[in-house]
């Protein structure tokens, strides 16, 4: 696989050495991240999927949608800047705007903040957070998060 990526000019690699993305590789990676996150957003907003269900579906669809359909999805969604989990969606030029947020486990329990991102790694944690009525933009203290969520939620502290 590495040889194939190198032959396409996407990575630089020396045998038994580090693998580094080229500028073209970085652009392709951002293009795929954009596709994935737009598809996740489309599935939630357009089809009623829950946020703990979209990742696997997006993994399949991101590889088969045409650029034209993806552009139409982006327009239909109003050009979102984040996916259902709060991850930034690169714009069509590959520019990413990241929120100023801190992992809740790094904050004192009494620090209140606005939920900016929720990791999609563990669907059970996503369901637990959702069951508590917590979602993007919810204002909450780090110590009020359900068990296991402090390592999955990023807050933008309120001043």
């Amino acid at each position: 696989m590495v040889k194939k990526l190198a032959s396409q000019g996407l990575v630089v690699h020396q045998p038994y050495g580090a693998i580094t993305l080229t500028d073209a590789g970085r652009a392709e990676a951002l293009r795929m991240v954009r596709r994935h996150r737009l598809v996740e957003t489309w599935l939630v907003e357009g089809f009623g999927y829950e946020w703990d269900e979209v990742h696997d579906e997006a993994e399949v669809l991101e590889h088969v949608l045409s650029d034209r359909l993806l552009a139409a999805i982006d327009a239909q969604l109003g050009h979102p800047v984040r996916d259902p989990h709060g991850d930034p969606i690169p714009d069509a030029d590959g520019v990413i705007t990241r929120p100023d947020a801190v992992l809740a486990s790094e904050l004192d329990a009494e620090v209140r903040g606005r939920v900016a991102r929720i990791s999609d790694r563990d669907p059970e944690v996503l369901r637990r957070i959702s069951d508590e009525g917590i979602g993007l933009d919810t204002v909450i203290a780090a110590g009020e998060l359900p068990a296991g969520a402090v390592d999955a939620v990023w807050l933008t502290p309120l001043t």
Side-chain angles (χ1 to χ4, degrees):
M1 178 58 111
V2 174
K3 285 183 182 180
K4 181 178 178 182
L5 293 171
S7 72
Q8 294 173 339
L10 300 175
V11 299
V12 175
H13 173 253
Q14 298 298 324
Y16 306 105
I19 302 168
T20 306
L21 287 172
T22 63
D23 288 344
R26 197 169 293 103
E28 180 63 16
L30 285 168
R31 189 179 81 78
M32 290 308 296
V33 167
R34 174 178 168 73
R35 294 175 79 79
H36 181 88
R37 292 179 181 169
L38 278 172
V39 170
E40 284 187 334
T41 305
W42 184 49
L43 291 171
V44 168
E45 293 189 16
F47 295 96
Y49 276 68
E50 296 296 325
W51 62 355
D52 62 317
E53 301 174 314
V54 296
H55 181 76
D56 291 339
E57 291 285 339
E59 285 290 324
V60 174
L61 291 172
E62 69 192 35
H63 298 283
V64 297
L65 293 178
S66 69
D67 290 342
R68 181 178 176 197
L69 179 55
L70 193 73
I73 290 168
D74 184 31
Q76 178 190 36
L77 294 171
H79 308 287
V81 296
R82 64 183 183 179
D83 74 5
H85 310 103
D87 290 315
I89 299 173
D91 69 17
D93 296 321
V95 176
I96 297 177
T97 304
R98 298 185 196 285
D100 185 24
V102 179
L103 189 61
S105 63
E106 297 174 7
L107 297 170
D108 291 334
E110 68 278 359
V111 173
R112 296 184 66 73
R114 186 173 312 279
V115 175
R117 180 178 181 268
I118 302 170
S119 173
D120 62 355
R121 288 187 190 210
D122 186 343
E124 180 55 38
V125 171
L126 278 172
R127 282 189 288 276
R128 200 171 324 126
I129 291 168
S130 182
D131 289 347
E132 293 289 327
I134 300 167
L136 294 179
D137 298 323
T138 299
V139 174
I140 192 167
E144 296 172 351
L145 291 166
V150 294
D151 291 319
V153 175
W154 282 256
L155 299 173
T156 301
L158 301 176
T159 54

